[in-house]
Amino acid sequence: MKHNEFGRTTDETGMHRKRLPARRESGGRSAKREERTEPERAAEAVDSGTVGEAPAEEGDGAVSGKAGDKKGMEQSGPAAKTGAVTAARRRAGRFAVKGTAVLATASVLLALTACGGSTSSSKEPPQTEAEQKDKGGNDLTAIDKPVELAYYENSSGYTQEMFDKDVGSVVKKKFPNVTFKLYSREKGTMLSELIASGVKLDLISSSAGTIADLADTGLGGDVSDLIAKYKYDLSQLEPSAVEMLRKAGDGKLYGLPLKIPASAIFCNKDIFDKFGVPYPKDGMTWDELYDLAVKLTRTDGGVQYKGFLASFSHIASMNQLSQEFIDPKTGKAALSNDNWKKVFDNLIRFYRIPGNEFDKTTISTPSTPFYKDKTVAMFASVGGQSYSDLLLQLNWDVVGLPVYKEKPGVGSGPYPVFLNVATTSTHRDEAFKVLAYLTSKEVQQTYINNGIVPALKKSAYKNEFGTANPALKGKNVQAIIPDKFAEPITLTKYQNALSSALNAAFSDAASGVKDVASALREAEEKANKAIETAKSGSK
């Protein structure tokens, strides 16, 4: 099948509708915030380094827009089949007499067929609504009595209006008896403050950037028992995102993912056209991207154009090498090693290109030159959460994140936006039913249609992604979703300290203040001190 410059086949139109409102950081609605113009709000959103979303999610509480094989929990079907096989064999045995072995075998096959069995293994389809009701009466599709759920958005700037559109109105159609009380990450309603005031939260919406808060506050609830009780089909979800939540819970399953943003390369096609440089393609290596960046870093008409910038915090936390920030066995920082050196060296070489040098803007607000100044040709950041007005104003497109030669086909790690049933919940069953519904194909289809990376496996929607969003027509948005997510890293309650130390080390190394080895060694020492301080403070 023929491909164009951006890796799309010629019969892939990419029909899409304009962006869903970003599930931005929750709550705050001060007069000062409301007085800002739309362009100012949009600029602030992208300056965090997240395409189409405000938060940088580096552990500062700013979480990207809210609303990536290990096997998930199996349904009861296989066990039922095994029992049917045994019964069938017994029945066949009663009629097995000399000279009638063939008839006995036929009886077994008939019994298997009647019980839905097969002589070859096959994957069971996702449960229908009717199948979600088990013999014990556990109905995942109904909430009969009125209930108010306390919902916490673990980010700032997320309004009631945003919540009603993203969650409230969606849930209301399915469960009219459910109402919500919304809290958000603002002064006076931080998680620790709500705990102190006795508020019993039911649901906590968060992301990989603030998942550490669940462990730190003890609010992270395990939904494994609810999954078993309601026979929820985990196998429909992207396994790497589920695994990340399980790792973060140290074996407990910290809720379920709703969306799974991924890193990609966003491009300003006007700069490519200006200098006559071919557009990048899906499947490129980092070396090939580097060669493009060299060709695109030029001065023209007194304007310095840069070939490439990256949101380092996202590249690191979703790194393709699956390098941990912390050693899960020792509990100590794992920042000074060959893999982190490889990540640093790979990106820093771009900032050694004359004219593409590293400066304070590069680390603090890397998206500003790309969106506002329009002087950057390629920007590596998170995509697939929403599409900002500033992005849509560019002559843009997107390709998948380049690959390491030794990791062919491996994209970024998952960065899930997820929902957790809090340990304080007094309505765990109702909260889980809401959570299960938000991860259903019915709701996830809305994300898929609008180019928002859902929690489902890519195989369930790869040909539908973004087809209802006119703003994405002709765009290579499918490239945002890796064919294979990198194995997820372990996020602990010390993640903020670890990320802070690593980001500072990258800034020092990229700007030439320190060499890579020294910067990483000092970062590891700094992080370990912070971990020890946190441990001693909790005793």
Side-chain angles (χ1 to χ4, degrees):
M1 189 172 289
K2 187 176 179 180
H3 291 72
N4 64 20
E5 316 79 273
F6 273 89
R8 294 188 298 274
T9 55
T10 54
D11 62 347
E12 288 172 344
T13 60
M15 292 291 292
H16 303 66
R17 182 170 58 78
K18 193 167 183 179
R19 66 188 179 103
L20 284 175
R23 279 209 49 173
R24 295 277 311 274
E25 309 153 61
S26 46
R29 299 184 291 275
S30 65
K32 182 177 180 181
R33 183 182 299 277
E34 295 300 329
E35 288 171 0
R36 292 176 299 169
T37 65
E38 180 60 31
E40 289 172 336
R41 285 195 294 271
E44 179 183 86
V46 296
D47 276 348
S48 61
T50 304
V51 172
E53 293 290 340
E57 299 187 336
E58 295 176 8
D60 58 357
V63 179
S64 306
K66 296 298 173 62
D69 249 7
K70 297 187 179 179
K71 291 185 179 180
M73 180 171 292
E74 298 292 339
Q75 297 183 45
S76 60
K81 291 178 184 178
T82 300
V85 172
T86 300
R89 287 172 176 167
R90 288 174 179 169
R91 288 194 295 273
R94 295 192 190 107
F95 295 100
V97 293
K98 187 174 180 178
T100 60
V102 174
L103 290 176
T105 302
S107 298
V108 173
L109 293 175
L110 285 172
L112 279 169
T113 303
C115 294
S118 173
T119 54
S120 63
S121 60
S122 61
K123 188 172 183 62
E124 293 186 34
Q127 289 178 313
T128 63
E129 183 169 306
E131 291 169 337
Q132 291 174 338
K133 301 179 181 181
D134 70 10
K135 293 180 180 179
N138 291 330
D139 185 358
L140 193 58
T141 66
I143 298 177
D144 298 327
K145 298 180 181 179
V147 62
E148 181 181 74
L149 300 178
Y151 187 105
Y152 188 81
E153 179 71 22
N154 198 15
S155 58
S156 59
Y158 191 71
T159 67
Q160 183 70 46
E161 182 181 2
M162 291 175 182
F163 172 80
D164 289 342
K165 193 164 189 176
D166 292 344
V167 179
S169 62
V170 176
V171 173
K172 196 71 174 177
K173 292 178 182 177
K174 178 68 176 177
F175 302 119
N177 285 322
V178 175
T179 55
F180 294 96
K181 171 65 176 177
L182 178 64
Y183 298 91
S184 60
R185 191 186 182 100
E186 303 291 345
K187 184 177 181 180
T189 55
M190 301 294 285
L191 283 174
S192 57
E193 293 171 317
L194 292 178
I195 292 172
S197 63
V199 173
K200 296 186 182 300
L201 295 173
D202 295 299
L203 289 165
I204 301 175
S205 177
S206 196
S207 76
T210 53
I211 196 171
D213 293 341
L214 298 181
D216 196 36
T217 59
L219 289 173
D222 186 4
V223 297
S224 298
D225 62 321
L226 294 167
I227 286 173
K229 177 178 180 179
Y230 291 103
K231 296 179 173 60
Y232 178 87
D233 182 16
L234 266 182
S235 68
Q236 66 184 322
L237 304 180
E238 166 55 44
S240 63
V242 175
E243 180 63 14
M244 173 172 271
L245 297 182
R246 200 183 295 280
K247 279 187 172 183
D250 193 22
K252 301 175 182 177
L253 185 54
Y254 269 1
L256 298 175
L258 301 181
K259 307 173 186 177
I260 314 174
S263 290
I265 303 293
F266 289 80
C267 308
N268 184 334
K269 295 171 66 176
D270 286 340
I271 297 178
F272 284 84
D273 295 341
K274 175 185 284 290
F275 299 126
V277 177
Y279 300 143
K281 300 177 181 179
D282 290 328
M284 294 180 72
T285 64
W286 280 103
D287 291 342
E288 290 172 321
L289 192 80
Y290 175 81
D291 292 339
L292 279 182
V294 171
K295 296 175 182 178
L296 292 161
T297 303
R298 305 185 188 183
T299 300
D300 184 76
V303 177
Q304 177 63 61
Y305 291 92
K306 295 188 174 186
F308 173 84
L309 288 180
S311 173
F312 174 75
S313 63
H314 291 103
I315 295 294
S317 59
M318 306 161 73
N319 75 85
Q320 294 160 285
L321 302 179
S322 301
Q323 174 56 50
E324 300 280 8
F325 282 72
I326 193 169
D327 187 328
K329 295 181 179 179
T330 65
K332 293 184 178 296
L335 304 181
S336 182
N337 54 58
D338 290 343
N339 275 346
W340 280 125
K341 184 177 185 302
K342 180 176 290 187
V343 172
F344 271 45
D345 287 341
N346 180 52
L347 293 177
I348 288 174
R349 60 175 166 163
F350 288 89
Y351 301 125
R352 297 288 185 263
I353 299 172
N356 202 74
E357 292 87 358
F358 185 90
D359 56 38
K360 64 179 182 180
T361 300
T362 308
I363 191 68
S364 60
T365 53
S367 61
T368 298
F370 181 75
Y371 289 106
K372 296 177 67 177
D373 303 337
K374 303 179 182 179
T375 56
V376 175
M378 298 179 289
F379 179 47
S381 187
V382 175
Q385 299 177 88
S386 73
Y387 301 88
S388 74
D389 290 336
L390 287 178
L391 175 67
L392 299 180
Q393 289 167 12
L394 296 175
N395 180 18
W396 69 281
D397 214 323
V398 59
V399 294
L401 197 67
V403 299
Y404 286 92
K405 290 180 179 178
E406 63 272 31
K407 292 277 189 177
V410 178
S412 72
Y415 204 75
V417 173
F418 66 98
L419 200 57
N420 174 263
V421 178
T423 54
T424 54
S425 177
T426 56
H427 306 289
R428 292 185 75 240
D429 288 84
E430 292 85 352
F432 182 75
K433 290 179 181 183
V434 168
L435 172 54
Y437 178 60
L438 291 174
T439 62
S440 69
K441 184 65 182 291
E442 179 182 345
V443 176
Q444 295 279 304
Q445 190 65 50
T446 301
Y447 299 155
I448 294 167
N449 292 346
N450 287 278
I452 308 302
V453 183
L456 305 178
K457 290 179 178 177
K458 186 177 181 179
S459 59
Y461 65 88
K462 62 181 180 180
N463 295 323
E464 306 171 59
F465 191 67
T467 54
N469 192 336
L472 305 182
K473 181 179 180 180
K475 305 300 182 183
N476 189 35
V477 289
Q478 282 201 12
I480 295 172
I481 315 159
D483 288 330
K484 181 180 180 181
F485 280 94
E487 285 294 315
I489 62 173
T490 303
L491 298 175
T492 69
K493 62 182 179 181
Y494 309 115
Q495 188 62 36
N496 293 348
L498 291 160
S499 294
S500 177
L502 192 69
N503 290 345
F506 183 78
S507 180
D508 287 342
S511 59
V513 174
K514 299 174 184 176
D515 62 85
V516 171
S518 298
L520 287 172
R521 183 180 65 254
E522 293 175 18
E524 184 170 282
E525 293 170 353
K526 179 181 178 181
N528 278 327
K529 288 180 181 178
I531 290 172
E532 289 303 317
T533 299
K535 287 181 177 179
S536 60
S538 62
K539 292 180 180 178

PDB file of all heavy atoms in Angstrom, residues 478-489:
ATOM      1  N   GLN A 478      -2.969   8.674  13.771  1.00  0.00           N
ATOM      2  CA  GLN A 478      -2.804   7.290  14.216  1.00  0.00           C
ATOM      3  C   GLN A 478      -1.380   7.016  14.657  1.00  0.00           C
ATOM      4  O   GLN A 478      -1.117   6.093  15.431  1.00  0.00           O
ATOM      5  CB  GLN A 478      -3.196   6.317  13.102  1.00  0.00           C
ATOM      6  CG  GLN A 478      -4.687   6.132  12.940  1.00  0.00           C
ATOM      7  CD  GLN A 478      -5.035   4.829  12.216  1.00  0.00           C
ATOM      8  OE1 GLN A 478      -4.195   3.976  12.033  1.00  0.00           O
ATOM      9  NE2 GLN A 478      -6.289   4.716  11.826  1.00  0.00           N
ATOM     10  N   ALA A 479      -0.450   7.830  14.160  1.00  0.00           N
ATOM     11  CA  ALA A 479       0.956   7.636  14.505  1.00  0.00           C
ATOM     12  C   ALA A 479       1.235   7.910  15.981  1.00  0.00           C
ATOM     13  O   ALA A 479       2.263   7.488  16.514  1.00  0.00           O
ATOM     14  CB  ALA A 479       1.832   8.549  13.648  1.00  0.00           C
ATOM     15  N   ILE A 480       0.337   8.632  16.644  1.00  0.00           N
ATOM     16  CA  ILE A 480       0.522   8.919  18.070  1.00  0.00           C
ATOM     17  C   ILE A 480       0.513   7.634  18.881  1.00  0.00           C
ATOM     18  O   ILE A 480       1.223   7.507  19.883  1.00  0.00           O
ATOM     19  CB  ILE A 480      -0.580   9.874  18.568  1.00  0.00           C
ATOM     20  CG1 ILE A 480      -0.465  11.235  17.876  1.00  0.00           C
ATOM     21  CG2 ILE A 480      -0.506  10.052  20.090  1.00  0.00           C
ATOM     22  CD1 ILE A 480      -1.626  12.169  18.166  1.00  0.00           C
ATOM     23  N   ILE A 481      -0.270   6.675  18.442  1.00  0.00           N
ATOM     24  CA  ILE A 481      -0.439   5.432  19.200  1.00  0.00           C
ATOM     25  C   ILE A 481       0.645   4.441  18.788  1.00  0.00           C
ATOM     26  O   ILE A 481       0.683   4.005  17.637  1.00  0.00           O
ATOM     27  CB  ILE A 481      -1.813   4.797  18.922  1.00  0.00           C
ATOM     28  CG1 ILE A 481      -2.912   5.845  18.966  1.00  0.00           C
ATOM     29  CG2 ILE A 481      -2.086   3.676  19.908  1.00  0.00           C
ATOM     30  CD1 ILE A 481      -4.161   5.452  18.231  1.00  0.00           C
ATOM     31  N   PRO A 482       1.541   4.061  19.691  1.00  0.00           N
ATOM     32  CA  PRO A 482       2.588   3.104  19.317  1.00  0.00           C
ATOM     33  C   PRO A 482       1.996   1.746  18.954  1.00  0.00           C
ATOM     34  O   PRO A 482       0.979   1.331  19.513  1.00  0.00           O
ATOM     35  CB  PRO A 482       3.432   2.996  20.600  1.00  0.00           C
ATOM     36  CG  PRO A 482       3.052   4.163  21.442  1.00  0.00           C
ATOM     37  CD  PRO A 482       1.642   4.478  21.093  1.00  0.00           C
ATOM     38  N   ASP A 483       2.633   1.073  18.017  1.00  0.00           N
ATOM     39  CA  ASP A 483       2.230  -0.305  17.746  1.00  0.00           C
ATOM     40  C   ASP A 483       2.507  -1.157  18.977  1.00  0.00           C
ATOM     41  O   ASP A 483       1.778  -2.098  19.278  1.00  0.00           O
ATOM     42  CB  ASP A 483       2.991  -0.860  16.541  1.00  0.00           C
ATOM     43  CG  ASP A 483       2.519  -0.251  15.228  1.00  0.00           C
ATOM     44  OD1 ASP A 483       1.330   0.115  15.151  1.00  0.00           O
ATOM     45  OD2 ASP A 483       3.329  -0.120  14.302  1.00  0.00           O
ATOM     46  N   LYS A 484       3.571  -0.776  19.697  1.00  0.00           N
ATOM     47  CA  LYS A 484       3.912  -1.462  20.933  1.00  0.00           C
ATOM     48  C   LYS A 484       4.407  -0.440  21.946  1.00  0.00           C
ATOM     49  O   LYS A 484       5.398   0.242  21.717  1.00  0.00           O
ATOM     50  CB  LYS A 484       4.995  -2.516  20.690  1.00  0.00           C
ATOM     51  CG  LYS A 484       5.386  -3.285  21.941  1.00  0.00           C
ATOM     52  CD  LYS A 484       6.469  -4.313  21.657  1.00  0.00           C
ATOM     53  CE  LYS A 484       6.843  -5.077  22.925  1.00  0.00           C
ATOM     54  NZ  LYS A 484       7.930  -6.067  22.652  1.00  0.00           N
ATOM     55  N   PHE A 485       3.694  -0.320  23.058  1.00  0.00           N
ATOM     56  CA  PHE A 485       4.152   0.555  24.130  1.00  0.00           C
ATOM     57  C   PHE A 485       5.382  -0.069  24.791  1.00  0.00           C
ATOM     58  O   PHE A 485       5.484  -1.295  24.912  1.00  0.00           O
ATOM     59  CB  PHE A 485       3.066   0.730  25.201  1.00  0.00           C
ATOM     60  CG  PHE A 485       1.996   1.726  24.850  1.00  0.00           C
ATOM     61  CD1 PHE A 485       0.811   1.313  24.253  1.00  0.00           C
ATOM     62  CD2 PHE A 485       2.162   3.067  25.125  1.00  0.00           C
ATOM     63  CE1 PHE A 485      -0.193   2.213  23.940  1.00  0.00           C
ATOM     64  CE2 PHE A 485       1.167   3.981  24.818  1.00  0.00           C
ATOM     65  CZ  PHE A 485      -0.010   3.560  24.228  1.00  0.00           C
ATOM     66  N   ALA A 486       6.296   0.772  25.232  1.00  0.00           N
ATOM     67  CA  ALA A 486       7.426   0.276  26.021  1.00  0.00           C
ATOM     68  C   ALA A 486       6.903  -0.252  27.352  1.00  0.00           C
ATOM     69  O   ALA A 486       5.842   0.178  27.833  1.00  0.00           O
ATOM     70  CB  ALA A 486       8.436   1.396  26.261  1.00  0.00           C
ATOM     71  N   GLU A 487       7.625  -1.177  27.944  1.00  0.00           N
ATOM     72  CA  GLU A 487       7.226  -1.691  29.254  1.00  0.00           C
ATOM     73  C   GLU A 487       7.150  -0.527  30.247  1.00  0.00           C
ATOM     74  O   GLU A 487       8.042   0.327  30.287  1.00  0.00           O
ATOM     75  CB  GLU A 487       8.239  -2.724  29.749  1.00  0.00           C
ATOM     76  CG  GLU A 487       8.145  -4.069  29.055  1.00  0.00           C
ATOM     77  CD  GLU A 487       6.827  -4.779  29.369  1.00  0.00           C
ATOM     78  OE1 GLU A 487       6.420  -4.805  30.531  1.00  0.00           O
ATOM     79  OE2 GLU A 487       6.206  -5.297  28.418  1.00  0.00           O
ATOM     80  N   PRO A 488       6.108  -0.468  31.053  1.00  0.00           N
ATOM     81  CA  PRO A 488       5.946   0.665  31.975  1.00  0.00           C
ATOM     82  C   PRO A 488       6.956   0.631  33.119  1.00  0.00           C
ATOM     83  O   PRO A 488       7.403  -0.434  33.547  1.00  0.00           O
ATOM     84  CB  PRO A 488       4.521   0.482  32.500  1.00  0.00           C
ATOM     85  CG  PRO A 488       4.292  -0.999  32.419  1.00  0.00           C
ATOM     86  CD  PRO A 488       5.009  -1.439  31.168  1.00  0.00           C
ATOM     87  N   ILE A 489       7.312   1.811  33.592  1.00  0.00           N
ATOM     88  CA  ILE A 489       8.212   1.912  34.734  1.00  0.00           C
ATOM     89  C   ILE A 489       7.397   1.894  36.028  1.00  0.00           C
ATOM     90  O   ILE A 489       6.161   1.977  36.003  1.00  0.00           O
ATOM     91  CB  ILE A 489       9.060   3.198  34.676  1.00  0.00           C
ATOM     92  CG1 ILE A 489       8.153   4.442  34.739  1.00  0.00           C
ATOM     93  CG2 ILE A 489       9.909   3.212  33.415  1.00  0.00           C
ATOM     94  CD1 ILE A 489       8.919   5.752  34.865  1.00  0.00           C
TER      95      ILE A 489
END
